[in-house]
């Protein structure tokens, strides 16, 4: 059994939360902060923290301070496991002085979102990132970087619906490109249901008017994916040839997934049989028309994607690969 520090408080259906829950289910001892840091609970504290980061960029962040405190009080640890939020090189080396044997990061955002030089450090024993080109680039300068897709938590990303409606579900944040794509669907009279955090104030009126006001998670999110005629998956302009977590969650929920056509899709799913790929709004409309006309075909695609996600794309499988890469043996060995 490994003793692992996941230095973020996070519930299920978040990257850190699902990683921590799966590691526990695999039999490892996982230590996390017991609550959100103050800057995530208070708007004033959040703005104060952002100001500090701007004026004093070398000061430890709340996550780094909490990790140092936990490492001092509850160490030693076999592993520091960071998900997307990074740590400075100085803090990583300090944590190792406190008894953290290895430190890794699994970066789930686009590479363009990596702050400062936070990943570019020899203090990381391994780096896992969902963008294959980014992993190759990092490895090219001698970092121990590996390509690794995101995954599903089968306990919550699962079939959870009885009936299928006639609408397209969109779940997530409403950045510019997603708004533009959804607006094109609205212009074609395609019914859409929008879920997630409230759209920003600058959003187009059509987006603001159609947003449900609901942030969905866990089994409720799976029900939204599964009960929709189809679930739309698109990414920001910064996202290159890689897949977001939604690619696996929609499939895990047995949803009919409309996903951007990119080579990375073929690494994980068979287009046309497990997911439906699109390049244009015309492609999306054609898929929807066929799904309405031939629900048996649509269900076959749903079920095939669901089977693939649960057979090959779970957090347990990804984490087993990570621990093997680090030389941490499976329990019982």
């Amino acid at each position: 059994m490994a003793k692992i520090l996941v230095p973020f408080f996070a519930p299920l259906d978040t990257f850190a939360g699902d990683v921590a829950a799966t590691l526990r289910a695999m039999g490892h001892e996982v230590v996390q902060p017991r609550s959100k840091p103050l800057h995530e609970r208070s708007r004033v504290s959040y703005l104060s923290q952002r100001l500090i980061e701007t004026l004093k960029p070398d000061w430890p962040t709340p996550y780094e301070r909490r990790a140092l405190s936990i490492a001092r009080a509850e160490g030693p640890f076999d592993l520091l496991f960071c998900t997307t939020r990074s740590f400075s090189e100085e803090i990583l080396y300090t944590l190792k002085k406190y008894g953290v044997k290895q430190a890794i990061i699994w970066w789930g955002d686009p590479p363009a979102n990596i702050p400062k030089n936070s990943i570019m450090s020899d203090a990381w024993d391994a780096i896992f990132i969902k963008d294959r080109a980014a992993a190759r680039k990092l490895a090219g300068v001698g970092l121990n970087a590996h390509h690794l897709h995101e995954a599903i938590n089968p306990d919550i990303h699962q079939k959870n619906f009885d009936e299928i409606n006639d609408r397209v579900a969109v779940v997530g944040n409403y950045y510019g490109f997603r708004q533009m794509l959804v607006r094109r669907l609205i212009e074609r009279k395609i019914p859409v249901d929008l879920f997630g955090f409230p759209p920003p104030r600058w959003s187009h009126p059509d987006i603001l008017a159609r947003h449900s006001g609901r942030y969905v998670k866990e089994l409720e999110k799976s029900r939204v994916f599964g009960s929709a005629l189809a679930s739309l998956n698109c990414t920001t302009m910064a996202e290159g040839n890689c897949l977001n977590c939604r690619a696996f969650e929609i499939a895990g929920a047995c949803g009919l997934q409309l996903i951007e056509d990119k080579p990375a899709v073929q690494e994980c799913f068979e287009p046309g049989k497990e997911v439906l790929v699109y390049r244009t709004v015309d492609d999306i409309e054609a898929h929807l028309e066929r799904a309405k006309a031939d629900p048996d075909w649509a269900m076959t695609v749903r079920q095939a994607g669901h089977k693939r996600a649960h057979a090959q794309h779970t957090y347990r499988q990804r984490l087993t690969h990570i621990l093997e890469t680090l030389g941490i043996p499976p329990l019982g060995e």
Side-chain angles (χ1 to χ4, degrees):
M1 178 181 71
K3 186 176 182 180
I4 301 172
L5 171 56
V6 177
F8 316 117
F9 171 83
L12 285 178
D13 209 11
T14 64
F15 196 8
D18 287 336
V19 163
T22 304
L23 287 169
R24 288 191 183 97
M26 293 170 70
H28 299 288
E29 180 183 355
V30 178
V31 179
Q32 290 177 274
R34 293 173 177 82
S35 63
K36 291 182 179 181
L38 182 60
H39 78 282
E40 288 192 359
R41 289 178 274 156
S42 163
R43 178 67 176 170
V44 173
S45 296
Y46 170 78
L47 294 174
S48 298
Q49 177 61 32
R50 293 300 300 269
L51 180 62
I52 291 170
E53 291 173 359
T54 301
L55 298 177
K56 299 286 187 179
D58 295 330
W59 279 24
T61 66
Y63 308 107
E64 291 172 326
R65 294 196 297 270
R66 282 180 157 207
L68 290 170
S69 176
I70 292 172
R72 283 194 298 261
E74 303 186 45
F77 286 91
D78 297 294
L79 180 63
L80 171 76
F81 198 129
C82 293
T83 52
T84 303
R85 294 189 186 98
S86 186
F87 278 29
S88 73
E89 186 170 77
E90 180 181 359
I91 294 296
L92 290 173
Y93 282 127
T94 301
L95 285 167
K96 289 184 176 182
K97 290 179 182 179
Y98 291 164
V100 172
K101 296 177 183 177
Q102 297 190 77
I104 68 161
I105 186 166
W106 186 2
W107 189 262
D109 270 0
N113 292 350
I114 297 172
K116 299 182 287 186
N117 292 325
S118 53
I119 275 187
M120 321 315 170
S121 170
D122 291 320
W124 294 111
D125 293 277
I127 299 165
F128 299 87
I129 190 167
K130 66 181 183 179
D131 187 295
R132 187 178 295 279
R136 185 165 56 243
K137 194 166 185 173
L138 293 170
V141 294
L143 296 172
N144 185 21
H146 306 264
H147 173 244
L148 189 66
H149 292 292
E150 295 184 73
I152 64 165
N153 180 343
D155 291 337
I156 55 178
H157 305 132
Q158 58 175 258
K159 184 178 182 296
N160 186 41
F161 65 95
D162 297 315
E163 297 181 351
I164 297 172
N165 58 47
D166 63 349
R167 307 181 70 80
V168 175
V170 184
V171 176
N173 297 318
Y174 290 89
Y175 47 78
F177 181 76
R178 178 169 285 158
Q179 290 199 29
M180 190 75 251
L181 180 56
V182 172
R183 286 173 56 197
R184 292 292 186 238
L185 300 183
I186 293 170
E187 289 169 1
R188 297 190 183 205
K189 310 300 182 185
I190 294 172
V192 295
D193 287 331
L194 310 183
F195 303 90
F197 288 116
R201 287 179 291 180
W202 52 260
S203 298
H204 190 276
D206 286 344
I207 302 298
L208 294 170
R210 286 169 173 78
H211 193 273
S212 66
R214 292 169 56 200
Y215 178 86
V216 292
K217 60 183 180 179
E218 301 182 25
L219 288 172
E220 182 186 10
K221 184 170 69 176
S222 290
R223 184 192 60 76
V224 166
F225 288 146
S227 61
L229 174 67
S231 291
L232 181 67
N233 187 356
C234 66
T235 54
T236 69
M237 297 297 291
E239 193 93 71
N241 181 31
C242 52
L243 303 182
N244 56 9
C245 62
R246 206 73 74 231
F248 304 100
E249 293 173 357
I250 294 172
C254 201
L256 183 64
Q257 180 167 191
L258 304 173
I259 187 170
E260 294 172 309
D261 187 10
K262 58 178 75 176
V265 174
Q266 300 178 39
E267 297 179 7
C268 298
F269 299 101
E270 186 173 354
K273 292 189 176 180
E274 297 172 336
V275 296
L276 304 178
V277 298
Y278 66 86
R279 295 185 179 180
T280 68
V281 180
D282 288 340
D283 294 340
I284 294 173
E285 190 167 27
H287 288 317
L288 294 173
E289 290 300 321
R290 184 176 180 186
K292 287 188 287 187
D294 191 351
D296 290 340
W297 164 79
M299 182 56 69
T300 298
V301 176
R302 288 168 174 266
Q303 291 174 339
H306 177 263
K307 181 178 180 180
R308 172 66 71 92
H310 284 263
Q312 297 183 5
H313 302 308
T314 67
Y315 276 105
R316 180 179 285 267
Q317 290 163 319
R318 302 284 198 256
L319 292 170
T320 296
H321 170 72
I322 287 174
L323 296 179
E324 288 176 350
T325 301
L326 298 174
I328 297 176
L331 296 181
E333 292 190 8

